[in-house]
Amino acid sequence: MFYLDSILYQVTKPARYTGGEWNSIVKDWEKTPIRVVLSYPDLYEIGMSNMALPILYELLNSQPDVLAERAYAPWVDMEAAMRKAGIPLFSLESKHPLKEFDVIGFSLGYELTYTNVLNMLDLAQIPVLASERNDYHPLIIAGGSCALNPEPMADFIDFFVIGDGEEALLELLDSFRNWKRPGKRAPKEELLRQVATIPGIYVPSLYQVEYQADGLVKSITPTVPEASPTIQRRIVTKLPPPVTKPVVPYIEVIHDRGAIEIQRGCTRGCRFCQAGIIYRPVRERSQEEVLQAIGELITNCGYSEVSLVSLSTSDYSNIDELVASLSYRYCDLAISLPSLYIDSFSVQLMDSLPSHKKTGLTFAPEAGSERLRRIINKNISEDELLKTAGAAFDRGWTGLKLYFMLGLPGETTEDIEGIINLVDKIRSLSRKTKGRTPQIRVNLSTFVPKPHTPFQWVAQESEQGLACKHELLKQGLRRKGTKLSWQDPKVSLLEAALSRGDRRLGRVIYRAWKLGCIFDSWDEHFNYENWLRAFEEAGLEPGFYAQRKRPLDELFPWAHIDAGVTTAFLKQEYQRSLDGRETDDCRAEACNACGLERWQPACQEKLTGG
Ligand code: SF4
């Protein structure tokens, strides 16, 4: 054991590392045979806002023979102090070093946290390469949206959980219990072969990847009979009860409120959106379940604000009724609706919230013209957009935050001018209705082509092209007095390269980390030159992964991961985007046979009209 007190006084926000929060669970280390640590490869404040880890924390701790604790990436000051004092990375609950746990699970939600995974392992005094870990090192597992293309992290992770973790984790525990029986521990290889038979589990070391001379993937082949040629994403048919007793942080975190997942999945079908594919189909919790869960959350945590979490909150059936019931039952509760579709209904919904302050509404038109919105299947007309903005101003809102994406497939200068014109029209609308100038903020992100989406074949726009468009917008919007923020396109280029990368990128990630890259998603730490150097030393180019238009028959590095939506459907959607044709949301309209009808009962019923 080590003396944490000897370093905590040297670092910022020591409460990131002390644990002991309300509702944290500390089980008896000696009496609990299976020890798991759930890790998030970013700061405590970000990791504590993640929705998946509390679900797994509760699930694992509900097993009498399992203890689950937490670990986050220490900030650079803490890391330096720990390394100087020789303190290995430890869990927040019992302060045991991570290397003493049986399993370390990482949640991978963003590619720019990859080097933090390596850094955390190193700080835990665990070899970062899976091939260098022996039978007595902890098993390193990972899940989350990035696991849908696990290949760039294949060198570091023993196995990945693809899709919903709730059921898969319990099956994994059974394998683990068997493997860890006292006096009977078999080699790790045996466990890996066993877990490879569990649906949704991908063990990269049991697959061989071959490349063509031009660098494209030639084949991905299982090397043992237990490994399946394709790994099917796990989908829980019915969402398990929500977490109502989460750990309550003592310091301010990114989403500093209670949260209940009211539904999982979104079928609107925006063609750039990976979440819209990899969390299908839509699964709602009943209103009664949500109401009861919020009551428990308030009792257990003391929250006075609760967020109704979903990819598209206003699509939840009878959301207005749910909000009204919540306001009636818990009159002092502030309700946050994080993700709204752009329509007057959403404005009305926000207006019905009892304690909101009318300072800002956020909408994401994504593109500046109806033509481009048809290409990306963000099916909203300009009339509807203006009607929504008008409704917001009528109801007293004074500000709007608008999200747009730059570099979308098929984007032209007219689409960029379209953004400027749209902002202008919204501004004059406000002057007309209220006679005052509204606060309009425009937030620009860069389009990143993601695996398992209809745009997985397209090239990301060059840095120069993006810079020109950005300049155009800057000039155009400055004249209109609009605040503009945008993300460095270099960050998006790296994200694009890592997200569509193959197994060879493990060398790049390893080298980048060795060169000092950590906290890559933080502006003050992002070091593009080091990343370029890492690519070069690995004999690879980021542009090959990010900016290359891919032929329709290319074998992708993630071809063995079956997300549920078929490649045929994605190709059809890609073609429809080229034709400028929209596709309806299957929730409101007929089933589009995206592939889930093969094994999802609700989709089969919808398809057959049952
Ligand atoms: S199978 Fe049909 S109903 Fe199910 S998610 Fe796909 S399009 Fe929608």
Side-chain angles (χ1 to χ4, degrees), residues 267 280-282 569 586-587 590-597 602-603 606-607:
T267 43
R280 282 184 182 214
V282 171
F569 176 78
C586 64
R587 184 173 178 141
C591 169
N592 297 312
C594 72
L596 287 167
E597 73 287 356
C603 297
K606 174 127 190 157
L607 187 65

PDB file of all heavy atoms in Angstrom, residues 267 280-282 569 586-587 590-597 602-603 606-607, ligand 1:
ATOM      1  N   THR A 267     -33.608   5.796 -35.095  1.00  0.00           N
ATOM      2  CA  THR A 267     -33.747   5.266 -36.462  1.00  0.00           C
ATOM      3  C   THR A 267     -34.015   6.376 -37.471  1.00  0.00           C
ATOM      4  O   THR A 267     -34.487   6.120 -38.567  1.00  0.00           O
ATOM      5  CB  THR A 267     -34.896   4.238 -36.516  1.00  0.00           C
ATOM      6  OG1 THR A 267     -35.997   4.761 -35.777  1.00  0.00           O
ATOM      7  CG2 THR A 267     -34.477   2.906 -35.936  1.00  0.00           C
ATOM      8  N   ARG A 280     -29.067   0.677 -32.990  1.00  0.00           N
ATOM      9  CA  ARG A 280     -30.396   0.239 -33.430  1.00  0.00           C
ATOM     10  C   ARG A 280     -30.752  -1.088 -32.793  1.00  0.00           C
ATOM     11  O   ARG A 280     -29.857  -1.856 -32.487  1.00  0.00           O
ATOM     12  CB  ARG A 280     -30.414   0.053 -34.952  1.00  0.00           C
ATOM     13  CG  ARG A 280     -30.509   1.319 -35.707  1.00  0.00           C
ATOM     14  CD  ARG A 280     -30.612   1.039 -37.191  1.00  0.00           C
ATOM     15  NE  ARG A 280     -30.655   2.335 -37.869  1.00  0.00           N
ATOM     16  CZ  ARG A 280     -31.346   2.564 -38.976  1.00  0.00           C
ATOM     17  NH1 ARG A 280     -32.024   1.602 -39.555  1.00  0.00           N
ATOM     18  NH2 ARG A 280     -31.341   3.755 -39.526  1.00  0.00           N
ATOM     19  N   PRO A 281     -32.003  -1.501 -32.715  1.00  0.00           N
ATOM     20  CA  PRO A 281     -33.203  -0.706 -32.970  1.00  0.00           C
ATOM     21  C   PRO A 281     -33.548   0.142 -31.740  1.00  0.00           C
ATOM     22  O   PRO A 281     -32.862   0.069 -30.730  1.00  0.00           O
ATOM     23  CB  PRO A 281     -34.263  -1.785 -33.179  1.00  0.00           C
ATOM     24  CG  PRO A 281     -33.820  -2.922 -32.321  1.00  0.00           C
ATOM     25  CD  PRO A 281     -32.319  -2.881 -32.327  1.00  0.00           C
ATOM     26  N   VAL A 282     -34.622   0.920 -31.882  1.00  0.00           N
ATOM     27  CA  VAL A 282     -35.045   1.754 -30.755  1.00  0.00           C
ATOM     28  C   VAL A 282     -35.681   0.864 -29.689  1.00  0.00           C
ATOM     29  O   VAL A 282     -36.511   0.013 -29.989  1.00  0.00           O
ATOM     30  CB  VAL A 282     -36.068   2.808 -31.227  1.00  0.00           C
ATOM     31  CG1 VAL A 282     -36.669   3.529 -30.024  1.00  0.00           C
ATOM     32  CG2 VAL A 282     -35.414   3.797 -32.164  1.00  0.00           C
ATOM     33  N   PHE A 569     -27.544  -2.746 -47.106  1.00  0.00           N
ATOM     34  CA  PHE A 569     -28.370  -1.594 -46.742  1.00  0.00           C
ATOM     35  C   PHE A 569     -27.544  -0.310 -46.750  1.00  0.00           C
ATOM     36  O   PHE A 569     -27.978   0.729 -47.252  1.00  0.00           O
ATOM     37  CB  PHE A 569     -29.007  -1.806 -45.362  1.00  0.00           C
ATOM     38  CG  PHE A 569     -29.802  -0.625 -44.884  1.00  0.00           C
ATOM     39  CD1 PHE A 569     -31.081  -0.381 -45.371  1.00  0.00           C
ATOM     40  CD2 PHE A 569     -29.265   0.264 -43.957  1.00  0.00           C
ATOM     41  CE1 PHE A 569     -31.808   0.724 -44.939  1.00  0.00           C
ATOM     42  CE2 PHE A 569     -29.980   1.374 -43.523  1.00  0.00           C
ATOM     43  CZ  PHE A 569     -31.266   1.601 -44.015  1.00  0.00           C
ATOM     44  N   CYS A 586     -37.849   4.583 -39.820  1.00  0.00           N
ATOM     45  CA  CYS A 586     -38.675   3.374 -39.735  1.00  0.00           C
ATOM     46  C   CYS A 586     -39.541   3.350 -38.486  1.00  0.00           C
ATOM     47  O   CYS A 586     -40.432   2.535 -38.350  1.00  0.00           O
ATOM     48  CB  CYS A 586     -37.795   2.128 -39.779  1.00  0.00           C
ATOM     49  SG  CYS A 586     -36.691   2.022 -38.360  1.00  0.00           S
ATOM     50  N   ARG A 587     -39.271   4.246 -37.573  1.00  0.00           N
ATOM     51  CA  ARG A 587     -40.090   4.280 -36.355  1.00  0.00           C
ATOM     52  C   ARG A 587     -41.505   4.770 -36.683  1.00  0.00           C
ATOM     53  O   ARG A 587     -42.492   4.225 -36.201  1.00  0.00           O
ATOM     54  CB  ARG A 587     -39.427   5.233 -35.370  1.00  0.00           C
ATOM     55  CG  ARG A 587     -40.086   5.319 -34.044  1.00  0.00           C
ATOM     56  CD  ARG A 587     -39.168   6.172 -33.185  1.00  0.00           C
ATOM     57  NE  ARG A 587     -39.728   6.373 -31.886  1.00  0.00           N
ATOM     58  CZ  ARG A 587     -39.004   6.368 -30.777  1.00  0.00           C
ATOM     59  NH1 ARG A 587     -37.721   6.156 -30.829  1.00  0.00           N
ATOM     60  NH2 ARG A 587     -39.560   6.581 -29.625  1.00  0.00           N
ATOM     61  N   ALA A 590     -42.661   2.703 -42.631  1.00  0.00           N
ATOM     62  CA  ALA A 590     -42.434   1.260 -42.797  1.00  0.00           C
ATOM     63  C   ALA A 590     -40.977   0.884 -42.518  1.00  0.00           C
ATOM     64  O   ALA A 590     -40.080   1.724 -42.586  1.00  0.00           O
ATOM     65  CB  ALA A 590     -42.800   0.870 -44.228  1.00  0.00           C
ATOM     66  N   CYS A 591     -40.771  -0.389 -42.242  1.00  0.00           N
ATOM     67  CA  CYS A 591     -39.414  -0.909 -42.028  1.00  0.00           C
ATOM     68  C   CYS A 591     -38.625  -0.817 -43.331  1.00  0.00           C
ATOM     69  O   CYS A 591     -39.138  -1.131 -44.397  1.00  0.00           O
ATOM     70  CB  CYS A 591     -39.521  -2.359 -41.566  1.00  0.00           C
ATOM     71  SG  CYS A 591     -37.948  -3.228 -41.562  1.00  0.00           S
ATOM     72  N   ASN A 592     -37.396  -0.376 -43.222  1.00  0.00           N
ATOM     73  CA  ASN A 592     -36.538  -0.262 -44.406  1.00  0.00           C
ATOM     74  C   ASN A 592     -35.659  -1.492 -44.598  1.00  0.00           C
ATOM     75  O   ASN A 592     -34.766  -1.487 -45.437  1.00  0.00           O
ATOM     76  CB  ASN A 592     -35.641   0.970 -44.266  1.00  0.00           C
ATOM     77  CG  ASN A 592     -36.434   2.251 -44.211  1.00  0.00           C
ATOM     78  OD1 ASN A 592     -37.312   2.474 -45.026  1.00  0.00           O
ATOM     79  ND2 ASN A 592     -36.159   3.097 -43.230  1.00  0.00           N
ATOM     80  N   ALA A 593     -35.900  -2.513 -43.805  1.00  0.00           N
ATOM     81  CA  ALA A 593     -35.129  -3.765 -43.864  1.00  0.00           C
ATOM     82  C   ALA A 593     -33.624  -3.478 -43.835  1.00  0.00           C
ATOM     83  O   ALA A 593     -32.873  -3.842 -44.736  1.00  0.00           O
ATOM     84  CB  ALA A 593     -35.508  -4.558 -45.113  1.00  0.00           C
ATOM     85  N   CYS A 594     -33.194  -2.847 -42.743  1.00  0.00           N
ATOM     86  CA  CYS A 594     -31.784  -2.454 -42.655  1.00  0.00           C
ATOM     87  C   CYS A 594     -30.881  -3.624 -42.302  1.00  0.00           C
ATOM     88  O   CYS A 594     -29.665  -3.520 -42.372  1.00  0.00           O
ATOM     89  CB  CYS A 594     -31.603  -1.328 -41.637  1.00  0.00           C
ATOM     90  SG  CYS A 594     -31.806  -1.843 -39.920  1.00  0.00           S
ATOM     91  N   GLY A 595     -31.471  -4.742 -41.914  1.00  0.00           N
ATOM     92  CA  GLY A 595     -30.668  -5.924 -41.567  1.00  0.00           C
ATOM     93  C   GLY A 595     -31.035  -6.478 -40.205  1.00  0.00           C
ATOM     94  O   GLY A 595     -30.918  -7.666 -39.952  1.00  0.00           O
ATOM     95  N   LEU A 596     -31.513  -5.624 -39.323  1.00  0.00           N
ATOM     96  CA  LEU A 596     -31.853  -6.098 -37.977  1.00  0.00           C
ATOM     97  C   LEU A 596     -33.075  -6.992 -37.973  1.00  0.00           C
ATOM     98  O   LEU A 596     -33.297  -7.740 -37.027  1.00  0.00           O
ATOM     99  CB  LEU A 596     -32.070  -4.898 -37.041  1.00  0.00           C
ATOM    100  CG  LEU A 596     -30.772  -4.201 -36.659  1.00  0.00           C
ATOM    101  CD1 LEU A 596     -31.022  -2.864 -36.014  1.00  0.00           C
ATOM    102  CD2 LEU A 596     -29.969  -5.080 -35.715  1.00  0.00           C
ATOM    103  N   GLU A 597     -33.868  -6.916 -39.046  1.00  0.00           N
ATOM    104  CA  GLU A 597     -35.041  -7.784 -39.121  1.00  0.00           C
ATOM    105  C   GLU A 597     -34.627  -9.258 -39.168  1.00  0.00           C
ATOM    106  O   GLU A 597     -35.434 -10.141 -38.932  1.00  0.00           O
ATOM    107  CB  GLU A 597     -35.909  -7.415 -40.344  1.00  0.00           C
ATOM    108  CG  GLU A 597     -35.377  -7.794 -41.713  1.00  0.00           C
ATOM    109  CD  GLU A 597     -34.207  -6.927 -42.180  1.00  0.00           C
ATOM    110  OE1 GLU A 597     -33.840  -5.972 -41.489  1.00  0.00           O
ATOM    111  OE2 GLU A 597     -33.655  -7.238 -43.259  1.00  0.00           O
ATOM    112  N   ALA A 602     -38.707  -7.333 -32.624  1.00  0.00           N
ATOM    113  CA  ALA A 602     -39.542  -6.146 -32.845  1.00  0.00           C
ATOM    114  C   ALA A 602     -39.494  -5.726 -34.315  1.00  0.00           C
ATOM    115  O   ALA A 602     -40.503  -5.313 -34.898  1.00  0.00           O
ATOM    116  CB  ALA A 602     -39.079  -5.008 -31.962  1.00  0.00           C
ATOM    117  N   CYS A 603     -38.310  -5.847 -34.930  1.00  0.00           N
ATOM    118  CA  CYS A 603     -38.158  -5.466 -36.330  1.00  0.00           C
ATOM    119  C   CYS A 603     -38.878  -6.469 -37.240  1.00  0.00           C
ATOM    120  O   CYS A 603     -39.498  -6.078 -38.235  1.00  0.00           O
ATOM    121  CB  CYS A 603     -36.677  -5.405 -36.702  1.00  0.00           C
ATOM    122  SG  CYS A 603     -35.774  -4.149 -35.786  1.00  0.00           S
ATOM    123  N   LYS A 606     -42.440  -5.637 -37.212  1.00  0.00           N
ATOM    124  CA  LYS A 606     -42.707  -4.408 -37.970  1.00  0.00           C
ATOM    125  C   LYS A 606     -42.689  -4.714 -39.473  1.00  0.00           C
ATOM    126  O   LYS A 606     -43.535  -4.245 -40.219  1.00  0.00           O
ATOM    127  CB  LYS A 606     -41.639  -3.372 -37.615  1.00  0.00           C
ATOM    128  CG  LYS A 606     -41.710  -2.118 -38.423  1.00  0.00           C
ATOM    129  CD  LYS A 606     -41.751  -0.894 -37.565  1.00  0.00           C
ATOM    130  CE  LYS A 606     -42.067   0.292 -38.450  1.00  0.00           C
ATOM    131  NZ  LYS A 606     -42.629   1.398 -37.802  1.00  0.00           N
ATOM    132  N   LEU A 607     -41.708  -5.536 -39.866  1.00  0.00           N
ATOM    133  CA  LEU A 607     -41.563  -5.850 -41.287  1.00  0.00           C
ATOM    134  C   LEU A 607     -42.779  -6.621 -41.801  1.00  0.00           C
ATOM    135  O   LEU A 607     -43.263  -6.388 -42.898  1.00  0.00           O
ATOM    136  CB  LEU A 607     -40.281  -6.668 -41.507  1.00  0.00           C
ATOM    137  CG  LEU A 607     -39.887  -6.930 -42.950  1.00  0.00           C
ATOM    138  CD1 LEU A 607     -39.529  -5.628 -43.658  1.00  0.00           C
ATOM    139  CD2 LEU A 607     -38.674  -7.867 -43.011  1.00  0.00           C
TER     140      LEU A 607
HETATM  141  S1  SF4 B   1     -35.010  -3.683 -39.338  1.00  0.00           S
HETATM  142 FE1  SF4 B   1     -36.580  -2.233 -40.006  1.00  0.00          FE
HETATM  143  S2  SF4 B   1     -37.645  -1.610 -38.121  1.00  0.00           S
HETATM  144 FE2  SF4 B   1     -35.706  -2.585 -37.505  1.00  0.00          FE
HETATM  145  S3  SF4 B   1     -34.262  -0.868 -37.260  1.00  0.00           S
HETATM  146 FE3  SF4 B   1     -34.002  -1.681 -39.345  1.00  0.00          FE
HETATM  147  S4  SF4 B   1     -35.351  -0.448 -40.650  1.00  0.00           S
HETATM  148 FE4  SF4 B   1     -35.993  -0.108 -38.503  1.00  0.00          FE
END
